[in-house]
Amino acid sequence: MGRVTGSVRTAGCEWLEYDYGPGLVPEEGPGTFTMWRYRSLLPLSEGPVRYPLPIGGTPLLSVPALRGALGTPSLWVKDETRGPTASNKDRATALVIEDGLRRGLDTITTASTGNAAVATAFGAAAAGMRAVIFVSVDCQEDKLALMTQAGAWVFQVPDGYAAAVDLSRAAVEEFGWVDRNTGVNPLTTEAKKTVALEVWEQLGRRMPDVMVAPVGDGPTLVALEKGFAELVACGVADRKPRLVGVQAQACQPLVHAWLGTTPGPDELDAASTVADGIAVLRPAIGDAVLQAVRSGDGAMVAVSDTELMEAVGLLASTAGVGAEPAGAASVAGLRSALRQGLVDPEETTVVLVTGREIKAAGSPTLGRVSVADRLDDVRQALGMVHP
Amino acid sequence: MGRVTGSVRTAGCEWLEYDYGPGLVPEEGPGTFTMWRYRSLLPLSEGPVRYPLPIGGTPLLSVPALRGALGTPSLWVKDETRGPTASNKDRATALVIEDGLRRGLDTITTASTGNAAVATAFGAAAAGMRAVIFVSVDCQEDKLALMTQAGAWVFQVPDGYAAAVDLSRAAVEEFGWVDRNTGVNPLTTEAKKTVALEVWEQLGRRMPDVMVAPVGDGPTLVALEKGFAELVACGVADRKPRLVGVQAQACQPLVHAWLGTTPGPDELDAASTVADGIAVLRPAIGDAVLQAVRSGDGAMVAVSDTELMEAVGLLASTAGVGAEPAGAASVAGLRSALRQGLVDPEETTVVLVTGREIKAAGSPTLGRVSVADRLDDVRQALGMVHP
């Protein structure tokens, strides 16, 4: 307990004073709670971790007002907005880069228009690695500003996002770069599963009954399943939670696949939702998502843009958590799952808030953005000698 | 060390497997490193902390590439962008609200157009308190969206920012609300001083030689001075670091006050810099800033907008830290101080990155923003009964 012994006014401020002495200062060093805590379950050889940004150890929030609003007394929010670039993409980026550093590689690449690209650019900068990012030509200016200010090289691919993915993968093959493409490198799953390990520890080494997560390409949910399953495999837990995956109504291929129904054209329009982060027409690991949901007796639900924006407001106004619409999708999805009877209000439920967008200051860096159709364009822009 | 025993491909993914057993799971509970760690030096009575968001315990980053770029081998970055609303305002908000909860109060107010208002809105939401925020009429739409989505009531004051401050203070007097106005409530200094305590612990219970911080109204730098001084007073450190305060060239009243010179009109134009967060024409506790800088043999420096944007890029590209221009001012200021010989490159120096702006999703909430000239307008909008 801090005992204030008095207060003085000086220089226009009120200063509180204490009975100073060594006893007021804590003894032990600060604790650490980061992703590397779980390195026994990560594919890392021995030796110190070189990746310089603290990763993971995000809060599991007790949320009384949100519990009240939803009528779910045992609800928790796992808040991934606290990472270095404010999304759960930071975990995958960290492990992929750590592995690349250990293999002596100096360049990392990905195709993305969103949080994964920003996380890759900033993570590479921190680690002293070069980032080469492939985007479609309609990538937002402020995303370009973030990536290029972090020193990344950005290539706009005229033929669109799928072509950008192809070019990034080709660069991996041709140049031996580190591959940070979603759903490709298994390290991304390994890293993201630490969210499940943290949730279990943060609940006092207990499993939740249900965990709800947004689903775009799928790695976030699939990684949760792997993390929970490994705790069971380790013999420290006796069951996995049910997983509920959430997609946007406007782009819900996996909800229909789970239901065994056929989506209409207005349910496969990735461009028409506020939740661009999860609007993926052909999810990279959709089958794995369905398997993960089924294996745990879970479910897939779709939510409208109105519900997504309500979820953004609900998280802000009842939990003090600022999320982007895709990041708040699990809250909207939980409401839908409760209405459908897929989740019982009394169950211990964790909603994963995957992130918020970070705001760019200023404009894209000159000379760091160019157009590329083929690897030769990349070679030329980066001044690479043709073999 | 994690030993991967194999990998299988299923559902389109590669899965790594381990020799599972209880020994792979860490034993002890997660550590905690938050602001409340220092409660012996905070004016809190006994009892559990009710404020629900984890606050403080932000990283002190080792920044090899930034060290190389600046030629400062013992440089560290204290990264305050990791708070719930991504700035050091979260600390003051937390302590002020904690105190208010303990006093049984239900409403908090502040006048601000920036990070303090956003921090107040989100912190109040998390704690179940009502936030009433007074802004000038030119407050940005996206700031209004953030505040109102978090459930805050926002009043636009036609007579400008100074009138907004007056109205917020008057509401404190009249309605007994919690006062979160910068430089007024001493709890804001108490909270922000924990940054200094953390830096000292994170350096291995050692003082830096120099700490550099942005200066607007002044509380951030003044609180650092108090924190360091209290460590000396506690007998655990034998000296304070020198403090270097940084202002924007376009609005640098305290730099001139420190130099004893008279600012020109283009050095007192708060509207003409990208660093709006530190552009304050009449700093609330300017005298305290000058005293803190002088008492530690420190300095005040001014930096141009070009230098501020370069600092944003330098932090992103060498340290992987995304900051707003005002948040990056300490990096720009350090470069200036090095050029002027105010800091020796070999000294152990900590630059405080105060924050980044968070991005709003959507528009301001209808019915939560109105115009107020007098307290009666506030009473009416909030449905308060006139006494």
Side-chain angles (χ1 to χ4, degrees):
Chain A
M1 173 194 162
R3 193 177 314 148
V4 176
T5 55
S7 80
V8 288
R9 283 198 77 82
T10 171
C13 302
E14 185 182 347
W15 304 78
L16 304 183
E17 293 178 327
Y18 302 80
D19 189 5
Y20 297 114
L24 296 195
V25 182
E27 279 292 328
E28 73 284 279
T32 57
F33 182 46
T34 73
M35 188 176 86
W36 312 115
R37 172 175 184 78
Y38 304 104
R39 61 183 296 171
S40 292
L41 279 169
L42 292 175
L44 281 183
S45 54
E46 289 189 51
V49 171
R50 305 184 205 178
Y51 190 75
L53 300 177
I55 297 290
T58 57
L60 183 73
L61 300 172
S62 162
V63 285
L66 182 56
R67 287 172 181 166
L70 300 186
T72 48
S74 301
L75 178 67
W76 301 81
V77 169
K78 179 65 172 169
D79 178 11
E80 287 283 287
T81 67
R82 298 286 196 103
T85 66
S87 91
N88 66 338
K89 310 289 186 185
D90 288 318
R91 293 183 194 251
T93 299
L95 185 59
V96 170
I97 290 179
E98 176 67 21
D99 179 67
L101 291 171
R102 285 163 181 238
R103 293 191 287 134
L105 302 178
D106 63 4
T107 302
I108 184 170
T109 183
T110 194
S112 163
T113 55
N115 294 342
V118 172
T120 301
F122 278 79
M129 208 178 254
R130 180 171 64 175
V132 180
I133 298 178
F134 295 89
V135 302
S136 52
V137 284
D138 58 357
C139 181
Q140 295 166 33
E141 277 280 300
D142 60 337
K143 296 276 184 197
L144 292 177
L146 284 165
M147 295 176 210
T148 57
Q149 281 171 355
W153 297 87
V154 181
F155 292 99
Q156 295 175 307
V157 182
D159 285 345
Y161 181 66
V165 173
D166 289 344
L167 211 48
S168 177
R169 305 289 316 275
V172 169
E173 290 299 315
E174 181 76 11
F175 307 137
W177 290 348
V178 178
D179 191 345
R180 169 66 181 88
N181 282 290
T182 297
V184 172
N185 189 332
L187 295 186
T188 60
T189 308
E190 294 303 299
K192 284 180 159 186
K193 81 181 180 192
T194 58
V195 172
L197 307 178
E198 289 180 7
V199 164
W200 174 77
E201 274 209 281
Q202 289 171 313
L203 285 174
R205 300 171 81 92
R206 281 177 48 239
M207 285 292 189
D209 297 311
V210 178
M211 184 143 185
V212 189
V215 174
D217 270 314
T220 296
L221 184 138
V222 167
L224 289 175
E225 149 72 16
K226 185 167 197 272
F228 289 126
E230 288 184 350
L231 290 168
V232 174
C234 284
V236 296
D238 57 7
R239 62 174 174 86
K240 297 182 292 180
R242 307 199 309 283
L243 296 180
V244 176
V246 186
Q247 297 211 289
Q249 215 166 64
C251 187
Q252 47 167 314
L254 296 177
V255 177
H256 278 282
W258 183 69
L259 293 169
T261 51
T262 306
D266 60 343
E267 294 171 325
L268 291 174
D269 182 2
S272 72
T273 169
V274 292
D276 56 314
I278 55 169
V280 180
L281 194 55
R282 289 178 196 83
I285 55 170
D287 289 346
V289 170
L290 296 172
Q291 191 174 77
V293 170
R294 283 188 187 118
S295 86
D297 202 20
M300 293 290 306
V301 299
V303 294
S304 70
D305 275 18
T306 303
E307 291 171 312
L308 285 163
M309 289 309 297
E310 281 173 6
V312 168
L314 200 56
L315 267 171
S317 64
T318 64
V321 173
E324 61 185 332
S330 52
V331 172
L334 173 59
R335 296 175 91 175
S336 169
L338 288 164
R339 280 196 306 272
Q340 296 180 56
L342 296 167
V343 173
D344 185 283
E346 299 294 325
E347 291 185 293
T348 298
T349 301
V350 178
V351 289
L352 178 65
V353 175
T354 46
R356 65 174 163 227
E357 286 186 272
I358 70 176
K359 194 164 175 173
S363 314
T365 307
L366 285 177
R368 285 277 166 163
V369 181
S370 53
V371 173
D373 270 315
R374 324 165 283 138
L375 286 188
D376 272 347
D377 300 327
V378 177
R379 274 197 189 88
Q380 195 172 349
L382 299 183
M384 296 167 80
V385 179
H386 206 295
Chain B
M1 172 193 164
R3 195 175 314 149
V4 176
T5 56
S7 81
V8 290
R9 283 199 76 82
T10 171
C13 302
E14 185 183 348
W15 303 78
L16 303 184
E17 293 177 327
Y18 302 79
D19 189 5
Y20 297 113
L24 297 195
V25 182
E27 279 293 326
E28 73 283 276
T32 57
F33 182 46
T34 73
M35 188 176 87
W36 311 115
R37 173 175 182 77
Y38 304 104
R39 61 184 295 172
S40 292
L41 279 169
L42 293 175
L44 281 182
S45 54
E46 288 189 51
V49 171
R50 304 184 206 179
Y51 190 75
L53 300 176
I55 297 289
T58 57
L60 183 73
L61 300 171
S62 161
V63 284
L66 182 56
R67 287 171 180 166
L70 300 185
T72 48
S74 301
L75 178 66
W76 301 81
V77 169
K78 180 66 172 169
D79 178 11
E80 287 282 288
T81 67
R82 297 287 195 104
T85 67
S87 90
N88 66 339
K89 311 288 186 186
D90 288 318
R91 293 184 194 251
T93 299
L95 185 59
V96 170
I97 289 178
E98 177 67 21
D99 180 67
L101 291 171
R102 286 163 181 239
R103 292 191 288 133
L105 302 178
D106 63 4
T107 303
I108 184 170
T109 183
T110 193
S112 163
T113 54
N115 293 343
V118 173
T120 301
F122 278 79
M129 207 178 256
R130 180 171 64 175
V132 181
I133 298 178
F134 296 88
V135 302
S136 51
V137 284
D138 58 356
C139 182
Q140 295 166 33
E141 277 279 300
D142 59 337
K143 296 277 184 196
L144 292 177
L146 284 165
M147 295 176 210
T148 57
Q149 281 171 357
W153 296 88
V154 181
F155 292 98
Q156 295 177 307
V157 182
D159 286 346
Y161 182 65
V165 174
D166 289 345
L167 210 48
S168 177
R169 306 289 317 275
V172 169
E173 290 299 314
E174 182 75 10
F175 307 136
W177 291 347
V178 179
D179 190 346
R180 170 65 182 88
N181 282 291
T182 296
V184 171
N185 189 332
L187 295 186
T188 61
T189 307
E190 293 304 298
K192 284 180 159 186
K193 82 182 180 193
T194 58
V195 173
L197 307 179
E198 289 180 8
V199 164
W200 174 77
E201 274 208 281
Q202 289 171 312
L203 285 174
R205 300 171 81 91
R206 281 177 47 239
M207 285 292 189
D209 297 310
V210 177
M211 184 142 184
V212 189
V215 174
D217 269 314
T220 296
L221 183 138
V222 167
L224 289 175
E225 148 72 17
K226 185 167 196 275
F228 289 127
E230 289 184 351
L231 289 169
V232 174
C234 284
V236 295
D238 57 6
R239 62 174 176 84
K240 296 181 294 180
R242 309 198 310 281
L243 297 180
V244 176
V246 186
Q247 297 210 289
Q249 214 168 66
C251 188
Q252 47 167 311
L254 295 177
V255 177
H256 278 281
W258 183 69
L259 292 170
T261 51
T262 306
D266 61 343
E267 294 170 326
L268 292 174
D269 182 3
S272 72
T273 169
V274 291
D276 55 315
I278 55 169
V280 181
L281 194 55
R282 290 177 196 83
I285 55 170
D287 289 346
V289 170
L290 296 173
Q291 190 175 78
V293 170
R294 284 189 187 116
S295 86
D297 202 19
M300 293 291 305
V301 299
V303 293
S304 70
D305 275 17
T306 304
E307 291 171 313
L308 285 164
M309 290 309 297
E310 281 173 5
V312 168
L314 201 56
L315 267 171
S317 64
T318 64
V321 173
E324 61 185 333
S330 52
V331 172
L334 173 59
R335 296 175 90 175
S336 170
L338 287 164
R339 280 196 306 272
Q340 296 180 57
L342 297 166
V343 173
D344 185 283
E346 299 294 325
E347 292 185 292
T348 298
T349 300
V350 178
V351 289
L352 177 65
V353 175
T354 46
R356 65 173 164 229
E357 286 184 272
I358 70 175
K359 194 165 175 172
S363 314
T365 308
L366 285 175
R368 286 276 166 165
V369 182
S370 53
V371 173
D373 271 316
R374 326 164 284 138
L375 285 188
D376 272 347
D377 301 327
V378 177
R379 273 198 190 88
Q380 196 172 349
L382 299 183
M384 298 168 78
V385 179
H386 207 295

